[in-house]
Amino acid sequence: QKEVEQNSGPLSVPEGAIASLNCTYSDRGSQSFFWYRQYSGKSPELIMFIYSNGDKEDGRFTAQLNKASQYVSLLIRDSQPSDSATYLCAVPYNNNDMRFGAGTRLTVKP
Amino acid sequence: DTGVSQDPRHKITKRGQNVTFRCDPISEHNRLYWYRQTLGQGPEFLTYFQNEAQLEKSRLLSDRFSAERPKGSFSTLEIQRTEQGDSAMYLCAGLSGTDTQYFGPGTRLTVL
């Protein structure tokens, strides 16, 4: 079992819709969870992080964490074509080296 | 802009040659990480430094790879006797305080 798993997609949504990206992790002791966005040919950029169970909102982005289910998700409301990218879920292990999922490729169609 | 810079941005080399990459984090980044990313995969951890000390190395880091951070500021990653399988994006990330890592733009290596 991989430490961090994501649906590779691709996920396609129409402009204005809600995009839902999911991630599961294997280490029950994990305390923090990160979402990065990566445009083709570019490096990952941090979107948001979450530590506590429940929801965390930042603009059009909402991260949801359920530690009991070892599940973290990212919702993008009012999706825009500029949101088209690969979204990486990351979980720190042992002294903070990040373990990344393979990423979910999102396409927002105008 | 995360403040982390990497040089060069692109490197094309022939198999068997040595290459060296450089990463310059911001001064507040007491920890510095190196990752490798291949197409369709997430970044894979290679090694990290706490100031000038290299504290952890992944098993991915074969003996052809070496990394240094001599003064606790910039870091270099050297690959000796490159192989085609080394072709990837090499990413550097800085961390300070919290466990949030900020990535540089990466160095894309192509081994012919």
Side-chain angles (χ1 to χ4, degrees), chain B residues 4-43:
Chain B
V4 181
S5 61
Q6 291 188 247
D7 184 70
R9 299 290 301 277
H10 302 274
K11 179 70 177 179
I12 300 174
T13 191
K14 293 183 179 180
R15 188 176 54 187
Q17 298 295 305
N18 299 342
V19 294
T20 299
F21 309 140
R22 176 175 169 131
C23 172
D24 286 85
I26 63 175
S27 59
E28 291 82 2
H29 289 159
N30 56 343
R31 286 193 179 183
L32 184 150
Y33 297 77
W34 284 99
Y35 293 86
R36 179 175 69 187
Q37 186 176 25
T38 54
L39 197 62
Q41 299 298 317

Side-chain angles (χ1 to χ4, degrees), chain A residues 2 32 34 36 38 41-46 49 51 88 92-103, chain B residues 9 31 33 35 37 40-45 48 56 89 91 95 98-106 108:
Chain A
K2 289 188 176 181
S32 55
F34 296 78
Y36 287 83
Q38 187 172 29
K42 303 296 186 182
S43 64
E45 57 178 319
L46 180 70
F49 55 85
Y51 295 97
L88 297 164
Y93 280 77
N94 297 336
N95 296 309
N96 293 316
D97 68 273
M98 288 284 197
R99 304 299 167 89
F100 286 83
Chain B
R9 299 290 301 277
R31 286 193 179 183
Y33 297 77
Y35 293 86
Q37 186 176 25
Q41 299 298 317
E44 296 173 295
F45 168 75
Y48 93 94
E56 188 173 344
M89 174 82 88
L91 295 161
L95 180 150
T98 68
D99 52 4
T100 304
Q101 295 185 23
Y102 295 94
F103 286 88
R108 181 167 296 283

